Amino acid sequence: MAFDSLADFIAMGGHARYVWAAWGVTLLMLLALTLFAWFEQRLALRVLRRHLRRTPTLAERQVPKASVTLAQAPTTQATLQTSAQASIQDGSQDSTHNRSAP
Amino acid sequence: MWAFIQKLRSPKWFYAIGGKCQPWFWAAALGLIALGSVWGLAFAPADYQQGNSFRIIYVHVPTAFLAQSIFVSMAACGLAFMVWKIKLADMAASVMAPIGALMTFVALYSGAVWGVPTWGTWWIWDARLTSMLILLFLYIGVIALRRAFASLEGGARAASVLAMVGVINIPIIKYSVDWWYTLHQPASFTITGRAAMPMAMWAPLLVMVVGFYCFFIALTLTRTRSEILRREGGKRWVRELVEEGADGL
């Protein structure tokens, strides 16, 4: 131990303001970078989950694809348009494959 | 070796391996920096000339080392991106730049604070100080140039070129204390050769330097993984990862 007491340690032999100013800012930077990286990761995951919720899942994308094209093959332009309008109106709905159909 | 380089191209591989490695680097960084701080602040003997103000060395030297090392790694990533079109290298370079800029700033700041009791001035246009200031401007230039482009690809290319050109400043910083010997002392910390300071002062500095490098590696792993999620969000493997719920958090 290079110091006799805690007060001695804090005083840093009269250089307290320099030592603590340099150390304080450095440790603060390390802490800020760590917290930033943590929040950044959480945000990236949250944005990604929100994005994926809006697009059909892998299972959804594969299964209905074939049935949709078969079922909708004989429909006319008019019915396609009304279904497009309907899907715009209830755009908040989570099942997304009718949004991508038209 | 070639197989390893091929793997390095793959963000999926990096995301998985990085997720496994990062807790170890974070733990090592925390442990070493805590140990080095207590050792350097309380147990290392005071300098016979500078007294206790010399303890600033334990934050000044690691940040200055990292400031330069990060720029070299950024330039290496820029080279890998330009030559082999490795997108992962550019992702790493883009997250490194702000870390390096902050390290350069803190190195300059702690040097200025140290200069007041030791040199009697917080700033002088000494070769070492000036070249470090240029390094800070180069970092800011790399960050700004990337953002100045509308396309990701354009910004990545411009930032890579500036990093590769700017790396010429690194040997200038390193040898500035020998070429233009003015105020800043020559290197006092070397791994090889005779140490310029006693063991009791040198050992905590080594602990701090290694700890700061671990911190940089941990931070880069974490941030690069976030950047992968941002850029590769539409890819199939990312979706599979999220749907399985194994996103490494």
Side-chain angles (χ1 to χ4, degrees), chain A residues 1-3 9 12-13 15 18-19 21 23 25-26 29 34 40-41 45 48-49 52 55-58 61, chain B residues 37 41-44 50 52-53 55 58-59 106 109 113 215 219 223 225-226 230 233 238-239 243 247 249:
Chain A
M1 197 78 175
F3 299 96
F9 173 67
M12 278 289 157
H15 286 134
Y18 308 114
V19 173
W23 273 80
V25 167
T26 310
M29 171 199 64
T34 308
E40 183 186 42
Q41 187 180 44
L45 274 166
L48 183 66
R49 285 216 186 88
L52 292 183
T55 53
T57 62
L58 288 172
R61 217 186 291 166
Chain B
S37 297
L41 273 174
F43 290 92
Q50 298 185 24
N52 286 304
S53 71
R55 295 183 198 280
Y58 298 117
V59 291
V106 170
Y109 166 81
V113 169
F215 175 80
L219 193 66
R223 293 205 66 208
R225 289 173 92 240
S226 304
R230 279 199 292 264
V238 177
R239 172 181 283 279
E243 281 175 14
D247 36 43
L249 251 187

Side-chain angles (χ1 to χ4, degrees), chain B residues 18-49:
Chain B
K20 284 203 187 96
C21 296
Q22 62 171 356
W24 299 101
F25 281 108
W26 280 114
L30 182 69
L32 289 171
I33 291 173
L35 172 71
S37 297
V38 174
W39 196 352
L41 273 174
F43 290 92
D47 187 79
Y48 78 97
Q49 271 185 328

